[in-house]
Amino acid sequence: MGRSAYLVAMVFAVLCACVGPATARTLPAAPGCGWTDAGLKAREMRAADAVWQHNVQAAYGVVRPSRAYSGVWLRDSFWTLTALGDVRVSSRALVHFAAALRPSGQVPTQFKTWLVHPLYFNDESTLLFLIWSDWTRRHGGAAPPSAVLAQALKYARAHVRHGRYQTPAGPYTSWFDSFRFPTSGTLSYNQGLLVVALEAAQDLRLGVGQAEVRAAAAGYRSLVTRHGGYLPLSDHLAYHDISGLAGGFLSTWLFGRTILSDDVVRNTLETQPRFGSGFRVVTATDGRYLPPSDFIGRWRGGDYHNGASWLLFDYLGLAAGSVHHVAGMDRGMRDRMAQEFASGDTFHEYLNTFPGRRSYGAEPRIRDQFSWNSFVVVVDERLRASCQARMAQI
């Protein structure tokens, strides 16, 4: 979705907000319509435009997460460039990662500086590469060659056992990369992306059958805890993790398919410890922060990966709830956006959730204008488009 499409959607949102009482009774807002607040939408768009103008070098297809980082990450590039909606820039960016493909099919997690010194970790990057490539092709852009995509699929398949994506012990195993996983296993976040990556590979005609997709989807659902019925951090850690819902939303956005049940999404949202209208991203089963020693960098409770509030994953979780008919999600997204801009019209990397800390409710300013949060414009557009389709049917 380009900026012009988003502006059209904003006009629609303003018109919806101005509908008179009689019309509102005739066409009541349905769950999943998104939120309408013209002033807040304008602030969201200003923050997104700042990212696209200052953090994206379109001529090279390069995304800088923020001024706190000198490297180029695949995951940040995926979220940011699909939000920008310019397939030419996406195609340029994909070329860099495809050119650094290992013989195993693994793409780099990042380039250490600019586009040099690729670094490879056993995380979700190759899964996102497949998803991103299919998005680019479907929108008229140039995807990497089929041989490259087939190699990437081969790498992903090599990590699957009985439908579950296997992640090694230690750090750097997903976006949650500073956490030291004590044992190998299956992360809900990675497993959800596996389902979507296989759906993308199927769409790319790489030889993925429906049975393979169904097995991965069943693996995703099998992670749900028996006690509480929520999606946990992993099959070995029943910690609360809002980012586990990301794959569920992506499947809905890209392919119109839901993977999880309404009850699982509702339980995951209701049991996730809150921070205002958002969430503390990962916490222990009792809602407490994790020990700093579990992280590289020994992050204190409320800071960074240790229970901070991350807009992208808060928003994806709330949007998944909206798709799955959980009450209050549209207002929750509106309030989370207002919470994001409480200290200025910029996307924060995260919000510190520990009261009394100097950065409480924000983070060090060098981490401001965080690129991947611009994906919230895609989430808003997806929910509005679904609502418009339902209205048309009515």
Coordinates of all heavy atoms in Angstrom, one line a residue, residues 265-306:
V265 N -7.1 -16.8 20.4 CA -6.7 -15.4 20.3 C -7.2 -14.5 21.5 O -6.5 -13.7 22.1 CB -7.2 -14.8 18.9 CG1 -6.9 -13.3 18.9 CG2 -6.6 -15.5 17.8
R266 N -8.5 -14.8 21.8 CA -9.1 -14.0 23.0 C -8.3 -14.4 24.2 O -8.0 -13.5 25.0 CB -10.5 -14.4 23.1 CG -11.2 -13.6 24.3 CD -12.7 -14.0 24.4 NE -13.5 -13.7 23.2 CZ -13.9 -14.6 22.3 NH1 -13.6 -15.9 22.4 NH2 -14.5 -14.1 21.2
N267 N -8.0 -15.6 24.5 CA -7.3 -16.0 25.7 C -5.9 -15.5 25.7 O -5.4 -15.1 26.8 CB -7.3 -17.5 25.8 CG -8.6 -18.2 26.1 OD1 -9.6 -17.5 26.5 ND2 -8.8 -19.4 25.8
T268 N -5.3 -15.4 24.6 CA -3.9 -14.9 24.5 C -3.9 -13.4 24.9 O -3.1 -12.9 25.7 CB -3.3 -15.1 23.1 OG1 -3.3 -16.5 22.8 CG2 -1.9 -14.6 23.1
L269 N -4.9 -12.7 24.4 CA -4.9 -11.3 24.6 C -5.3 -11.0 26.1 O -4.8 -10.1 26.7 CB -5.9 -10.6 23.7 CG -5.5 -10.5 22.2 CD1 -6.7 -10.3 21.3 CD2 -4.5 -9.4 22.1
E270 N -6.3 -11.8 26.6 CA -6.8 -11.5 28.0 C -5.8 -11.9 29.0 O -5.8 -11.3 30.1 CB -8.1 -12.3 28.1 CG -9.3 -11.7 27.3 CD -10.6 -12.4 27.5 OE1 -10.5 -13.5 28.2 OE2 -11.6 -11.9 27.1
T271 N -4.9 -12.8 28.8 CA -3.9 -13.3 29.8 C -2.6 -12.5 29.7 O -1.8 -12.6 30.6 CB -3.6 -14.8 29.7 OG1 -3.2 -15.1 28.3 CG2 -4.9 -15.6 29.9
Q272 N -2.4 -11.8 28.5 CA -1.1 -11.1 28.4 C -1.1 -9.9 29.3 O -2.0 -9.0 29.3 CB -1.0 -10.6 26.9 CG 0.3 -10.0 26.6 CD 1.4 -11.0 26.4 OE1 1.1 -12.1 26.1 NE2 2.7 -10.6 26.6
P273 N -0.1 -9.7 30.2 CA 0.0 -8.6 31.0 C 0.0 -7.3 30.2 O 0.7 -7.1 29.2 CB 1.3 -8.8 31.8 CG 1.5 -10.3 31.8 CD 1.0 -10.7 30.4
R274 N -0.8 -6.3 30.7 CA -1.0 -5.1 30.0 C 0.0 -4.0 30.4 O 0.6 -4.0 31.5 CB -2.4 -4.6 30.2 CG -3.5 -5.5 29.8 CD -3.5 -5.8 28.4 NE -3.9 -4.7 27.5 CZ -5.0 -4.5 26.9 NH1 -6.0 -5.4 27.0 NH2 -5.2 -3.4 26.1
F275 N 0.1 -3.0 29.5 CA 0.8 -1.7 29.8 C -0.1 -0.7 29.1 O 0.0 -0.5 27.9 CB 2.2 -1.7 29.3 CG 2.9 -0.4 29.5 CD1 3.1 0.1 30.8 CD2 3.2 0.5 28.5 CE1 3.7 1.4 31.0 CE2 3.8 1.7 28.7 CZ 4.0 2.1 29.9
G276 N -0.9 0.0 29.8 CA -1.9 0.9 29.2 C -2.8 0.1 28.3 O -3.4 -0.9 28.6
S277 N -2.8 0.6 27.0 CA -3.6 -0.1 26.0 C -2.8 -1.1 25.2 O -3.3 -1.8 24.3 CB -4.2 0.9 25.0 OG -5.1 1.8 25.7
G278 N -1.5 -1.2 25.6 CA -0.7 -2.2 25.0 C -0.3 -3.4 25.9 O -1.1 -3.6 26.9
F279 N 0.8 -4.0 25.7 CA 1.2 -5.2 26.5 C 2.7 -5.1 26.9 O 3.4 -4.4 26.2 CB 0.9 -6.5 25.7 CG -0.5 -6.6 25.2 CD1 -0.8 -6.1 23.9 CD2 -1.5 -7.1 26.0 CE1 -2.1 -6.2 23.4 CE2 -2.8 -7.2 25.5 CZ -3.1 -6.7 24.2
R280 N 3.0 -5.9 27.9 CA 4.4 -6.2 28.2 C 4.8 -7.4 27.3 O 4.2 -8.4 27.5 CB 4.6 -6.4 29.6 CG 4.5 -5.1 30.4 CD 4.9 -5.3 31.9 NE 3.8 -5.8 32.7 CZ 4.0 -6.8 33.6 NH1 5.2 -7.4 33.7 NH2 3.0 -7.3 34.3
V281 N 5.7 -7.2 26.4 CA 5.9 -8.1 25.3 C 6.1 -9.6 25.7 O 5.4 -10.5 25.1 CB 7.0 -7.7 24.3 CG1 8.4 -7.8 25.0 CG2 7.0 -8.4 23.0
V282 N 6.9 -9.9 26.6 CA 7.1 -11.3 27.1 C 7.2 -11.2 28.6 O 8.0 -10.4 29.1 CB 8.3 -12.0 26.5 CG1 8.6 -13.3 27.2 CG2 8.2 -12.2 25.0
T283 N 6.5 -12.0 29.3 CA 6.6 -12.0 30.8 C 6.6 -13.5 31.2 O 6.2 -14.4 30.5 CB 5.5 -11.3 31.5 OG1 4.3 -12.0 31.3 CG2 5.3 -9.9 31.0
A284 N 6.9 -13.7 32.5 CA 6.8 -15.1 33.1 C 5.3 -15.4 33.1 O 4.4 -14.6 33.0 CB 7.4 -15.1 34.4
T285 N 5.0 -16.7 33.4 CA 3.6 -17.2 33.5 C 2.8 -16.4 34.5 O 1.6 -16.3 34.4 CB 3.6 -18.7 33.8 OG1 4.4 -18.9 35.0 CG2 4.2 -19.5 32.6
D286 N 3.5 -15.9 35.6 CA 2.7 -15.2 36.6 C 2.7 -13.7 36.3 O 2.2 -12.9 37.2 CB 3.3 -15.4 38.0 CG 4.8 -15.0 38.1 OD1 5.3 -14.4 37.1 OD2 5.4 -15.2 39.2
G287 N 3.2 -13.3 35.2 CA 3.1 -11.9 34.8 C 4.3 -11.1 35.2 O 4.4 -9.9 34.9
R288 N 5.3 -11.6 35.9 CA 6.4 -10.9 36.3 C 7.4 -10.7 35.2 O 7.5 -11.5 34.2 CB 7.1 -11.6 37.5 CG 6.2 -11.7 38.8 CD 6.9 -12.3 39.9 NE 6.1 -12.5 41.1 CZ 6.5 -13.0 42.2 NH1 7.8 -13.4 42.4 NH2 5.7 -13.1 43.3
Y289 N 8.3 -9.7 35.4 CA 9.4 -9.6 34.5 C 10.4 -10.8 34.6 O 10.4 -11.4 35.7 CB 10.2 -8.3 34.8 CG 9.4 -7.0 34.5 CD1 9.1 -6.2 35.6 CD2 9.0 -6.6 33.3 CE1 8.3 -5.0 35.4 CE2 8.3 -5.5 33.0 CZ 7.9 -4.7 34.1 OH 7.2 -3.5 33.9
L290 N 11.2 -11.0 33.6 CA 12.1 -12.1 33.6 C 13.4 -11.7 34.3 O 13.7 -10.5 34.3 CB 12.4 -12.6 32.2 CG 11.1 -13.1 31.4 CD1 11.5 -13.5 30.0 CD2 10.4 -14.2 32.2
P291 N 14.3 -12.6 34.8 CA 15.5 -12.2 35.4 C 16.5 -11.6 34.3 O 16.6 -12.1 33.2 CB 16.1 -13.5 35.8 CG 15.0 -14.5 35.9 CD 14.0 -14.0 34.9
P292 N 17.1 -10.5 34.6 CA 18.0 -9.8 33.7 C 19.1 -10.8 33.1 O 19.5 -10.6 32.0 CB 18.6 -8.7 34.5 CG 17.6 -8.3 35.5 CD 17.0 -9.7 35.9
S293 N 19.5 -11.8 33.9 CA 20.5 -12.7 33.5 C 20.1 -13.6 32.3 O 20.9 -14.2 31.7 CB 20.9 -13.6 34.7 OG 19.8 -14.3 35.2
D294 N 18.8 -13.6 32.0 CA 18.3 -14.4 30.9 C 18.5 -13.7 29.5 O 18.3 -14.3 28.5 CB 16.7 -14.6 31.0 CG 16.3 -15.6 32.1 OD1 17.3 -16.2 32.7 OD2 15.1 -15.7 32.3
F295 N 19.1 -12.5 29.6 CA 19.3 -11.7 28.4 C 20.7 -11.3 28.1 O 21.4 -11.0 29.1 CB 18.4 -10.4 28.4 CG 16.9 -10.6 28.5 CD1 16.4 -10.8 29.8 CD2 16.1 -10.7 27.4 CE1 15.0 -11.0 29.9 CE2 14.8 -10.9 27.5 CZ 14.2 -11.0 28.8
I296 N 21.1 -11.3 26.9 CA 22.4 -10.6 26.5 C 22.2 -9.1 26.8 O 21.2 -8.5 26.4 CB 22.7 -10.8 25.0 CG1 23.0 -12.3 24.8 CG2 23.8 -9.9 24.6 CD1 23.2 -12.6 23.3
G297 N 23.1 -8.6 27.6 CA 22.9 -7.2 28.0 C 22.2 -7.0 29.3 O 22.1 -5.9 29.8
R298 N 21.7 -8.1 29.9 CA 21.1 -8.1 31.2 C 20.1 -7.0 31.3 O 20.2 -6.1 32.2 CB 22.2 -8.0 32.3 CG 23.2 -9.1 32.3 CD 24.2 -9.0 33.4 NE 23.6 -9.1 34.7 CZ 23.4 -10.3 35.3 NH1 23.7 -11.4 34.8 NH2 22.8 -10.3 36.5
W299 N 19.1 -7.0 30.5 CA 18.1 -6.0 30.5 C 17.2 -6.1 31.7 O 16.7 -7.1 32.1 CB 17.2 -6.1 29.2 CG 18.0 -5.9 28.0 CD1 18.5 -6.8 27.1 CD2 18.3 -4.6 27.5 NE1 19.1 -6.2 26.1 CE2 19.1 -4.8 26.3 CE3 18.1 -3.3 27.9 CZ2 19.6 -3.8 25.5 CZ3 18.6 -2.2 27.1 CH2 19.4 -2.5 25.9
R300 N 17.1 -4.9 32.4 CA 16.2 -4.9 33.6 C 14.7 -5.0 33.2 O 14.4 -4.7 32.1 CB 16.5 -3.6 34.4 CG 17.9 -3.5 34.9 CD 18.0 -2.3 35.9 NE 17.8 -1.0 35.2 CZ 17.7 0.1 35.8 NH1 17.9 0.2 37.1 NH2 17.5 1.2 35.1
G301 N 13.9 -5.4 34.2 CA 12.5 -5.5 34.0 C 11.9 -4.2 33.4 O 12.2 -3.1 33.9
G302 N 11.1 -4.3 32.4 CA 10.5 -3.1 31.8 C 11.2 -2.5 30.6 O 10.7 -1.7 29.9
D303 N 12.5 -2.9 30.4 CA 13.4 -2.3 29.4 C 13.6 -3.3 28.3 O 13.8 -4.5 28.5 CB 14.7 -1.9 30.0 CG 15.4 -0.9 29.2 OD1 14.8 -0.3 28.3 OD2 16.6 -0.6 29.5
Y304 N 13.5 -2.8 27.0 CA 13.9 -3.5 25.8 C 13.1 -4.9 25.8 O 11.8 -4.8 25.9 CB 15.4 -3.8 25.7 CG 15.9 -4.1 24.4 CD1 15.6 -3.3 23.3 CD2 16.7 -5.3 24.2 CE1 16.1 -3.7 22.0 CE2 17.2 -5.6 22.9 CZ 16.9 -4.8 21.8 OH 17.4 -5.1 20.6
H305 N 13.7 -6.0 25.6 CA 13.0 -7.3 25.4 C 12.4 -7.8 26.8 O 11.5 -8.6 26.8 CB 13.9 -8.3 24.9 CG 14.2 -8.2 23.4 ND1 15.4 -8.7 22.8 CD2 13.5 -7.5 22.4 CE1 15.4 -8.4 21.6 NE2 14.3 -7.6 21.3
N306 N 12.8 -7.2 27.9 CA 12.4 -7.7 29.2 C 11.1 -7.0 29.6 O 11.1 -6.2 30.5 CB 13.5 -7.5 30.2 CG 13.2 -8.4 31.5 OD1 12.1 -9.0 31.6 ND2 14.1 -8.3 32.4

